[in-house]
Amino acid sequence: MTEKLATILILMPFVSAVCCYLIRSVRLRSWVVLVTGVLLIAGALLLIPLTPFTFAAGSLAGLSIRHIVSAADFLLLFVILYFGFKHRSIIIKMLSVFQILLLAYLEFFSVKGIAAAGTIYCDQLSMTMVLIVALVGSIICFQAIPYMQNHETHLKLEKSRQNRFFAVMILFLGAMNGLVLSNDLMFFYFFFEVTTLCSFLLIGHDRTETAVKNAVRALWMNSLGGAAFIAALTVIFSQTAHLDLYRILLDADPANRIFLLSLALLCLAAFTKSAQFPFQSWLLGAMVAPTPVSALLHSSTMVNVGVYLVIRLAPAFRQTFLSHSVAFFGAFTFLAAAALAVGQSNGKKVLAYSTISNLGLIFACAGLNSPQAITAGILLLIFHAIIKALLFLCVGSIEQHIASRDIEDMRGLYAVMPVTALITVMGVIMMIMPPFGVIISKWMAIEAAASDFFIIILIAPGSALTVMYWARWGGILMSDPFAGRFKAEVQPVLTWTALGLLCLGAAILSIGAPWLYQWVIAPAESDFYLLDYTSRGGILENVVGIFPVFPLGLVAVLGFVIAIWAVKKAAGARVVAPYLSGVQTAEPGVFTGPMNTPTKAEAKNYYLASIFGEDKLTTWINLAAGVLLTLVIGGAL
Amino acid sequence: MFKKIIQKARIKSPWLLHFDCGSCNGCDIEVLACLTPLYDIERFGIINVGNPMHADIFLVTGTVNQRNKKVLLNLYDQMPQPKVVVAIGSCALSGGIFREAYNVLGGIDKVLPVDVYVPGCPAKPEAIIDGVVMALENFIRKKDEEKTHA
Amino acid sequence: MINSLVMVIAGLAAGPALGGVISGLDRILTARLQARIGPPVWQPYFDVLKLFGKEKMVVNVWQAFCAYCYVAASSIALVLFFLQSDLLLILFVQAVGALFLVIGAFSSTSPFSQIGAHRELLQILSYEPLLVLVTVGIYLETGSFKIQAVYGGDAPLLLKLPFLFVVLGYALTIKLRKSPFDLSTCHHAHQELVKGLLTDFSGPFLALTEIGHWYEVVLLLGLCSLFWATSWGGMIIIVVITYLLEVLIDNVSARMNWRWMLGYVWSMGLALSMVNLVWLYAR
């Protein structure tokens, strides 16, 4: 039963993807997407009581699944090589040839097609990832249905390419499920490459020149990760004679330098996948893709593969220099990406840098490698995925409505799109304020990092910078010179469902964080770490710190209700124009300027480009990141 | 009973908005002199806030003319109730020595409802303080009784 | 349980009770330093009560929401302090209030409000890393982030964390809106942005921001008192001297711009923190 469910979760999306590609009717295809999503969610929920579980892959129609995956892997690498030729990219050609050769060596000379004992292994951590993929991923696909309709109408395409779009999106969901459930690293590698390909196809979906260029860049950077991955596998097999992830963790011998090198290479693969410095340009370039792509791949699922991998591997390199250097690298990325986000006014780029920043923090937690830190990392993984997806979907909606993704153009958005503006503000609040999940994990991360001087020195300013760029954005959405005549804007039902579910889900999950810890995270870590926090009555507590999540949540709800009551009462108040030195005219925001002409009062946000500008900082940050990366890999030796 | 407390608070904490319509600055200097250590009106809780939205007492000097008529009204509008207007100096009372000029409309009571007139050219700081105190005691109380919600 | 309830009520009451008196004493002290007499010590209460009695006037109804959230968050932070909860948590809860004030100011389109809000954000940017590092320093010395651990110590924290106390002083100066860091808004009349952040708040909502500020003042002075928590006398001495110094610095400095503030506070603050923290790690 468990095997069947898990297999369905992985394979059904592949089948649905083919259906999506072949079906021409928009209506029918939308139903396929909806049904796939619902089935994925149902399957994931049904799987919850069955965790943890493990089983070996059997055979399908007489062929061993292991061999099928192996063959598919080669096929995939040749497809990437083909794209290398098509786009005349030497680097892609070199990397795919390298991967093909190493894979061939590994398959035919080392592993020889032997599968790991438990191909599929699912503990609470994998289950959490499956749930994120199923719930957040499906919700994003639901929202993509009206979004892509609008998108194509806007682009005035003669021939709809939505079939290809949805096919790859759904396929990706299956690949993600396969990846997080994989215990055999060859399977992991196969799904890893599938996600690379999906990302390439989706970034280049619109087929504009920039899109193709950015897609190619994403392909080669992710291929670099793939190359590092297969190299790591080769080294691991040479040391342990198997590719079973769980056994690797159990038998890990940190004194073995070569083994550590392989772990460092895996970390490198994770860094490229999660767009850490100096590989961040692919993620920034990926923002040209339609927003559901950004929401799904580049904030909540694919980039999480990297952090998932490192969190999984963390028990294997405890208390080694590798661990410290990974933590330092992560903290540095957290600070640097936050600084770069302060200098951005492009909404999607702010979200992209924020994603890189938060992923850096998760890497730092994984590197700190204490029970507290790992808990913080997993919590941040979960909450960041949900809330970032919500914010990307909001920005997508907003962009379609006002035809711009610049924050300056979203000034006073409340006047045109009140509900979306409020949901976006709610998303921003959930990213930076207690009692919501992201701040719980930041709190835990800071308490975990407090014993490490170098890490805390980086995290403290980073956290302050984070607050700055979020508050700036959240504030001006409501910057409307009028006092709330509320008329909800019109959006498709699926959009409201998607935004509403994500928003509500994040809020409820935040207040339920202590129980999330108790039922999900604590069991997931218990194999390798001594559990630290107690969760009693909704209060998370350990020896050094206490966070009464549930009581604060109740008080927050109470405060919210009182504040809403205050707004209702204030709606009867006298409305005046903002103070403009007495020369305001009857029209809000307009004053009598020079020569008695009505002039609009304008203000712009501080982007502090002279300090935090992208062009100013990027080169230095990349250099520093390069040095740190060398430290990570070299230090393993 | 709560009303009495608020009444007392109003009298004990009058915040000023000072606006110079078009005066020669003589009265303005005397107003500012009130804030100096010699007269120290902060003893009475008076603060010169520059913002109509925070102010209770509108201290106006100078004459009203075509250009600043609208500004006076805007500022008066942006003050929340209860509010009083104190006209300081002979220019604010009736136009003073600029009364015959072509752009001058006269004293500020042509535009705003004035509650207290403080004569002088320039008005002495002691007279200004007297005027503010009279505005507080007589008019803030009365305004409260007839407080309307716009 | 009853003890906790008493502490909650004490926390909620301490803000207006202590904060108002401290504010009044601040004004008297400032006046005396300027060779004036100053208002009576109850003046802030008269101000707040008068503001509550004013007509309700808004530029944007969102301001009402934000003013209430500011007071709520500041009061919750102070209550958590009285309940001797986690210092880092208190910091984050207090930050909620500060951010809501900024968001409320952003909701008005007046340039005074907008620039004031940005300056406030830059102020928050300046002091927040420092407060985090101060709490980390306290953790390294007492072994816990919980305030209870501070009261259990035998030697005053000031002896072990002198530089971190100076760093806390920077954060305190910024939070109390004293020169040279009173960029976004200030209690005195010398604001070049009219009233900056608070320009478009009026009447009851302005009163709420003032009460929220009182809660923050009491909280931060409470943080200062932790540095000599071994005796009641010590706590009072350290708070009084710190506050006197703050008023003195306010009256002798001019306001600086945000570039200087960010540069100076971060470089001095981070440097001093690093020195003190390295010393703590080395032991």
Side-chain angles (χ1 to χ4, degrees):
Chain A
M1 170 62 180
T2 323
E3 299 184 15
K4 289 209 173 53
L5 262 180
T7 322
I8 291 177
L9 279 179
I10 301 175
L11 288 182
M12 175 194 53
F14 283 82
V15 171
S16 297
V18 174
C19 294
C20 279
Y21 189 73
L22 296 172
I23 297 177
R24 292 286 149 178
S25 144
V26 171
R27 241 231 147 119
L28 195 53
R29 186 174 50 231
S30 307
W31 275 109
V32 170
V33 172
L34 282 169
V35 167
T36 313
V38 170
L39 284 178
L40 272 177
I41 297 176
L45 289 173
L46 283 174
L47 216 45
I48 297 179
L50 299 167
T51 37
F53 62 84
T54 175
F55 61 87
S59 54
L60 187 71
L63 285 167
S64 143
I65 299 217
R66 176 74 178 74
H67 286 134
I68 297 179
V69 163
S70 193
D73 214 342
F74 274 106
L75 184 62
L76 193 58
L77 286 171
F78 276 107
V79 167
I80 294 181
L81 184 62
Y82 158 71
F83 279 120
F85 275 101
K86 181 171 174 201
H87 294 286
R88 268 164 283 185
S89 163
I90 297 193
I91 249 198
I92 296 179
K93 289 184 220 168
M94 284 191 342
L95 285 172
S96 34
V97 166
F98 176 77
Q99 287 181 70
I100 292 173
L101 289 176
L102 260 188
L103 184 62
Y105 168 72
L106 207 54
E107 270 301 311
F108 300 128
F109 297 102
S110 299
V111 181
K112 294 204 251 277
I114 303 172
T119 326
I120 304 288
Y121 173 76
C122 177
D123 66 351
Q124 282 83 354
L125 179 61
S126 309
M127 195 62 231
T128 319
M129 293 292 292
V130 169
L131 278 168
I132 292 177
V133 169
L135 287 165
V136 176
S138 304
I139 291 178
I140 294 173
C141 287
F142 295 165
Q143 199 264 2
I145 300 172
Y147 181 93
M148 288 307 286
Q149 277 288 74
N150 225 331
H151 186 75
E152 295 205 330
T153 327
H154 186 73
L155 285 178
K156 300 195 198 26
L157 286 183
E158 311 167 342
K159 184 164 176 284
S160 165
R161 300 180 59 241
Q162 284 181 53
N163 59 335
R164 185 179 171 279
F165 181 82
F166 283 104
V168 182
M169 291 277 274
I170 304 281
L171 182 82
F172 172 78
L173 290 180
M176 277 302 296
N177 275 333
L179 193 150
V180 299
L181 289 174
S182 291
N183 187 41
D184 184 338
L185 283 173
M186 291 298 274
F187 277 62
F188 195 108
Y189 175 65
F190 169 62
F191 289 120
F192 193 89
E193 290 299 295
V194 172
T195 59
T196 302
L197 188 67
C198 289
S199 179
F200 165 74
L201 291 172
L202 286 171
I203 295 175
H205 177 83
D206 279 338
R207 293 231 175 114
T208 62
E209 204 182 308
T210 9
V212 169
K213 201 165 64 116
N214 289 323
V216 169
R217 189 187 307 139
L219 189 57
W220 78 252
M221 284 191 175
N222 280 313
S223 292
L224 184 63
F229 201 103
I230 194 87
L233 290 191
T234 323
V235 177
I236 290 179
F237 194 79
S238 73
Q239 296 295 301
T240 59
H242 65 82
L243 288 175
D244 182 325
L245 184 54
Y246 197 68
R247 267 184 66 199
I248 290 175
L249 295 176
L250 284 175
D251 301 338
D253 177 21
N256 183 341
R257 291 282 182 78
I258 312 284
F259 174 67
L260 272 188
L261 176 66
S262 69
L263 290 182
L265 284 171
L266 282 176
C267 287
L268 177 63
F271 292 153
T272 55
K273 200 57 144 181
S274 294
Q276 303 291 284
F277 296 110
F279 309 114
Q280 81 282 18
S281 46
W282 79 256
L283 187 62
L284 295 169
M287 293 295 129
V288 299
T291 311
V293 175
S294 308
L296 183 58
L297 269 73
H298 306 131
S299 66
S300 51
T301 42
M302 188 175 102
V303 290
N304 280 337
V305 168
V307 283
Y308 166 75
L309 181 59
V310 175
I311 291 181
R312 262 262 177 266
L313 291 173
F317 54 74
R318 251 180 298 192
Q319 283 158 354
T320 58
F321 183 74
L322 176 64
S323 199
H324 288 304
S325 49
V326 166
F328 192 70
F329 182 79
F332 171 74
T333 307
F334 175 63
L335 175 60
L340 283 168
V342 169
Q344 280 296 327
S345 76
N346 180 329
K348 280 181 93 173
K349 274 192 155 180
V350 170
L351 292 177
Y353 275 122
S354 162
T355 304
I356 299 173
S357 183
N358 280 299
L359 292 174
L361 187 57
I362 303 178
F363 279 123
C365 289
L368 283 168
N369 235 321
S370 66
Q372 253 182 322
I374 297 283
T375 312
I378 300 178
L379 273 177
L380 189 56
L381 178 72
I382 300 173
F383 286 110
H384 176 254
I386 306 176
I387 302 177
K388 197 46 76 63
L390 171 68
L391 283 169
F392 264 113
L393 291 184
C394 288
V395 169
S397 269
I398 294 172
E399 188 186 355
Q400 284 196 325
H401 201 107
I402 63 172
S404 162
R405 51 176 71 161
D406 194 309
I407 297 181
E408 289 300 322
D409 297 321
M410 295 184 204
R411 201 170 265 282
L413 192 69
Y414 187 74
V416 270
M417 303 172 75
V419 182
T420 314
L422 280 175
I423 296 181
T424 315
V425 173
M426 190 67 200
V428 166
I429 287 178
M430 288 199 280
M431 283 296 284
I432 51 175
M433 292 191 188
F436 296 107
V438 176
I439 212 72
I440 299 178
S441 22
K442 271 216 182 102
W443 167 82
M444 246 185 233
I446 293 180
E447 296 208 338
S451 31
D452 192 324
F453 173 72
F454 293 106
I455 310 293
I456 195 69
I457 280 290
L458 292 173
I459 294 187
S463 153
L465 286 167
T466 307
V467 159
M468 170 146 188
Y469 64 78
W470 283 123
R472 183 178 67 189
W473 191 352
I476 61 166
L477 287 172
M478 307 300 286
S479 177
D480 169 34
F482 184 54
R485 178 87 328 115
F486 188 86
K487 180 170 171 280
E489 75 269 28
V490 176
Q491 292 261 33
V493 168
L494 278 173
T495 309
W496 284 142
T497 326
L499 294 178
L501 280 177
L502 282 175
C503 194
L504 218 55
I508 295 176
L509 207 59
S510 294
I511 302 195
W515 292 280
L516 185 64
Y517 171 73
Q518 221 178 334
W519 296 328
V520 176
I521 301 176
E525 296 175 33
S526 56
D527 283 341
F528 298 106
Y529 296 98
L530 207 57
L531 294 174
D532 200 35
Y533 284 99
T534 59
S535 152
R536 258 180 318 121
I539 301 179
L540 273 173
E541 184 171 4
N542 75 350
V543 180
V544 302
I546 176 169
F547 197 129
V549 179
F550 191 65
L552 269 183
L554 286 180
V555 173
V557 168
L558 182 65
F560 182 74
V561 166
I562 294 178
I564 293 284
W565 165 84
V567 169
K568 289 237 147 51
K569 292 214 47 198
R574 176 155 76 103
V575 177
V576 287
Y579 180 66
L580 283 171
S581 306
V583 288
Q584 68 267 23
T585 59
E587 202 184 320
V590 175
F591 66 94
T592 316
M595 309 302 279
N596 272 341
T597 48
T599 321
K600 191 150 180 18
E602 276 185 33
K604 288 221 169 7
N605 280 347
Y606 282 23
Y607 291 105
L608 310 185
S610 55
I611 307 176
F612 297 116
E614 202 176 12
D615 42 355
K616 281 221 153 48
L617 290 180
T618 306
T619 334
W620 296 109
I621 291 179
N622 283 343
L623 268 168
V627 168
L628 288 175
L629 259 186
T630 335
L631 207 64
V632 168
I633 300 180
L637 285 166
Chain B
M1 191 230 134
F2 199 57
K3 256 194 174 279
K4 281 192 120 35
I5 300 179
I6 301 274
Q7 281 269 24
K8 181 163 186 224
R10 283 204 186 115
I11 296 177
K12 286 281 202 174
S13 157
W15 285 0
L16 300 178
L17 171 66
H18 162 234
F19 182 61
D20 168 7
C21 273
S23 88
C24 68
N25 293 336
C27 295
D28 306 309
I29 296 173
E30 301 302 323
V31 168
L32 292 180
C34 294
L35 294 166
T36 58
L38 194 57
Y39 297 100
D40 190 20
I41 51 175
E42 204 190 351
R43 287 177 290 155
F44 310 123
I46 301 178
I47 301 180
N48 184 6
V49 295
N51 185 354
M53 299 197 193
H54 296 177
D56 311 297
I57 305 183
F58 196 11
L59 240 56
V60 192
T61 60
T63 64
V64 179
N65 55 45
Q66 300 288 359
R67 285 198 66 129
N68 59 35
K69 174 172 68 171
K70 196 74 185 70
V71 176
L72 257 186
L73 280 171
N74 274 340
L75 288 176
Y76 183 70
D77 251 340
Q78 281 192 313
M79 288 170 68
Q81 294 279 9
K83 50 193 170 183
V84 287
V85 180
V86 177
I88 297 183
S90 38
C91 292
L93 264 51
S94 59
I97 58 170
F98 302 115
R99 191 175 22 188
E100 307 295 329
Y102 62 89
N103 63 330
V104 167
L105 290 172
I108 58 168
D109 52 10
K110 297 263 191 288
V111 173
L112 292 182
V114 176
D115 297 293
V116 176
Y117 296 88
V118 179
C121 183
K124 293 172 65 151
E126 290 92 341
I128 295 173
I129 297 177
D130 253 352
V132 171
V133 169
M134 188 187 293
L136 287 175
E137 287 174 351
N138 296 353
F139 292 98
I140 292 261
R141 195 172 285 132
K142 223 183 340 126
K143 287 281 163 88
D144 188 45
E145 271 137 32
E146 50 173 77
K147 184 163 125 176
T148 48
H149 190 65
Chain C
M1 184 64 201
I2 291 290
N3 202 23
S4 301
L5 202 58
V6 167
M7 280 296 144
V8 168
I9 297 179
L12 286 174
L18 287 176
V21 170
I22 293 174
S23 192
L25 288 171
D26 187 331
R27 284 173 72 172
I28 296 177
L29 202 57
T30 310
R32 297 293 158 91
L33 281 171
Q34 294 171 354
R36 297 186 287 118
I37 296 186
V41 74
W42 312 117
Q43 189 60 40
Y45 295 111
F46 292 132
D47 289 337
V48 165
L49 284 170
K50 175 210 72 178
L51 284 173
F52 272 125
K54 294 279 267 186
E55 177 193 7
K56 263 208 189 78
M57 212 171 77
V58 288
V59 169
N60 186 327
V61 287
W62 191 235
Q63 285 178 320
F65 185 87
C66 293
Y68 273 88
C69 285
Y70 177 48
V71 177
S74 304
S75 54
I76 293 172
L78 189 61
V79 164
L80 283 173
F81 184 85
F82 270 68
L83 289 173
Q84 302 197 343
S85 179
D86 185 310
L87 271 172
L88 198 58
L89 173 66
I90 291 174
L91 220 148
F92 284 135
V93 173
Q94 173 273 121
V96 172
L99 288 172
F100 267 114
L101 189 60
V102 169
I103 293 178
F106 267 123
S107 68
S108 155
T109 53
S110 151
F112 301 117
S113 221
Q114 295 275 323
I115 299 183
H118 270 292
R119 288 184 180 181
E120 180 73 13
L121 267 184
L122 285 164
Q123 280 178 216
I124 295 177
L125 181 63
S126 305
Y127 72 66
E128 201 174 298
L130 303 184
L131 281 179
V132 171
L133 291 175
V134 166
T135 45
V136 167
I138 296 179
Y139 157 75
L140 286 174
E141 183 53 31
T142 62
S144 161
F145 280 93
K146 300 183 200 171
I147 297 180
Q148 304 156 274
V150 175
Y151 289 112
D154 43 347
L157 282 178
L158 188 56
L159 294 175
K160 301 289 175 54
L161 309 173
F163 290 149
L164 282 176
F165 187 71
V166 174
V167 169
L168 181 61
Y170 286 134
L172 188 63
T173 317
I174 299 177
K175 230 28 199 129
L176 289 177
R177 307 193 190 285
K178 299 285 179 208
S179 292
F181 304 125
D182 56 345
L183 300 163
S184 69
T185 187
C186 139
H187 281 110
H188 307 306
H190 54 216
Q191 179 57 249
E192 91 267 32
L193 291 181
V194 188
K195 194 82 171 159
L197 188 71
L198 297 175
T199 308
D200 286 323
F201 285 90
S202 70
F205 309 119
L206 188 63
L208 285 173
T209 57
E210 185 63 20
I211 297 179
H213 184 71
W214 289 347
Y215 276 110
E216 283 186 337
V217 170
V218 177
L219 177 65
L220 278 155
L221 289 176
L223 265 182
C224 281
S225 77
L226 287 181
F227 277 76
W228 202 329
T230 47
S231 74
W232 281 104
M235 279 199 263
I236 294 178
I237 292 177
I238 205 173
V239 166
V240 166
I241 293 189
T242 313
Y243 205 78
L244 283 174
L245 275 174
E246 291 292 337
V247 174
L248 185 66
I249 291 172
D250 185 25
N251 277 293
V252 300
S253 327
R255 177 182 311 136
M256 300 298 286
N257 56 25
W258 69 260
R259 279 172 212 275
W260 182 86
M261 173 179 72
L262 194 58
Y264 178 75
V265 172
W266 268 28
S267 54
M268 283 302 286
L270 288 176
L272 287 172
S273 312
M274 283 202 262
V275 168
N276 210 149
L277 285 176
V278 164
W279 180 29
L280 288 171
Y281 279 113
R283 278 185 311 112

